[in-house]
Amino acid sequence: DVKVTQSSRYLVKRTGEKVFLECVQDMDHENMFWYRQDPGLGLRLIYFSYDVKMKEKGDIPEGYSVSREKKERFSLILESASTNQTSMYLCASSLRQGRNTEAFFGQGTRLTVV
Amino acid sequence: AQKITQTQPGMFVQEKEAVTLDCTYDTSDPSYGLFWYKQPSSGEMIFLIYQGSYDQQNATEGRYSLNFQKARKSANLVISASQLGDSAMYFCAMREQYNFNKFYFGSGTKLNVKP
């Protein structure tokens, strides 16, 4: 059974804290994604990685960074958490090549910054 | 510009009736894929159906079909014989081949199926 696993389902952090959200996939996928999901705004791409150590900014990268040291793991870092980063965060992975290459999602992390 | 546009924030449908969820997209890549996902209240993202830009026929998967109109850049999802379990958020997504197969999602449509 294919899997994308996010390290936490729920997180509560304080303003100014450094926050790490971890994502691991077991499908040997090249592509990994971090999305933020807010009501009425859908899924917005924060960062994208197409290979180890390679990353590209998405639509809303401000206040976030990422790390991909190993193919299976993609971390999202909030350098100094703020209340406007309270949201649902979804990690996904997919093959880089191929026709019907759907994205597989983790269960999501609901982050609350207080 | 928005890559994916879903103009229906919420929709209601009577059980056993068909419903169409709208999606339009914007790309200059000749090779792309279009996807629909379902997100129930539990939060998981469930892949429903795929349509490739070069596919001649509309995709179908059980009660789901995709009404693909390439010239109009639309990829509407049709759910036939709606069931109560179809109540969920539905997201349209696009992947562009020239862009490392990066996925873009729309804002979603909340479907409520009434008994």
Side-chain angles (χ1 to χ4, degrees), chain B residues 73-85:
Chain B
K73 292 190 173 179
S74 77
N76 299 338
L77 177 70
V78 181
I79 305 174
S80 63
S82 298
Q83 302 172 356
L84 295 177

Side-chain angles (χ1 to χ4, degrees), chain B:
Chain B
Q2 288 270 52
K3 290 277 188 183
I4 296 285
T5 302
Q6 294 180 253
T7 57
Q8 305 154 312
M11 288 194 71
F12 285 90
V13 65
Q14 203 68 41
E15 194 178 9
K16 298 180 186 174
E17 290 186 352
V19 62
T20 298
L21 307 184
D22 294 341
C23 173
T24 57
Y25 60 92
D26 182 30
T27 183
S28 55
D29 187 350
S31 179
Y32 53 91
L34 297 158
F35 300 77
W36 278 91
Y37 284 82
K38 173 184 178 181
Q39 187 182 45
S41 55
S42 53
E44 76 261 39
M45 293 285 281
I46 301 167
F47 164 69
L48 294 177
I49 195 167
Y50 163 82
Q51 179 86 42
S53 59
Y54 294 118
D55 292 344
Q56 295 296 313
Q57 297 203 331
N58 288 341
T60 60
E61 288 286 347
R63 293 187 299 111
Y64 304 108
S65 60
L66 203 152
N67 184 0
F68 181 46
Q69 297 187 47
K70 194 169 182 177
R72 300 175 72 176
K73 292 190 173 179
S74 77
N76 299 338
L77 177 70
V78 181
I79 305 174
S80 63
S82 298
Q83 302 172 356
L84 295 177
D86 294 334
S87 293
M89 281 291 289
Y90 289 81
F91 291 99
C92 179
M94 177 176 66
R95 180 203 71 213
E96 296 172 315
Q97 183 173 343
Y98 86 89
N99 204 4
F100 294 101
N101 278 323
K102 199 187 297 185
F103 278 82
Y104 294 94
F105 285 80
S107 55
T109 295
K110 179 85 167 70
L111 178 67
N112 285 290
V113 181
K114 297 187 290 185

Side-chain angles (χ1 to χ4, degrees), chain A residues 2 4 13 17 30 44 46 49 51 56 83 91 103 105 113:
Chain A
V2 296
V4 179
K13 296 292 181 180
E17 273 192 79
E30 297 90 357
R44 293 180 291 167
I46 305 171
S49 170
D51 206 341
E56 275 198 6
T83 54
C91 174
F105 282 83
V113 182

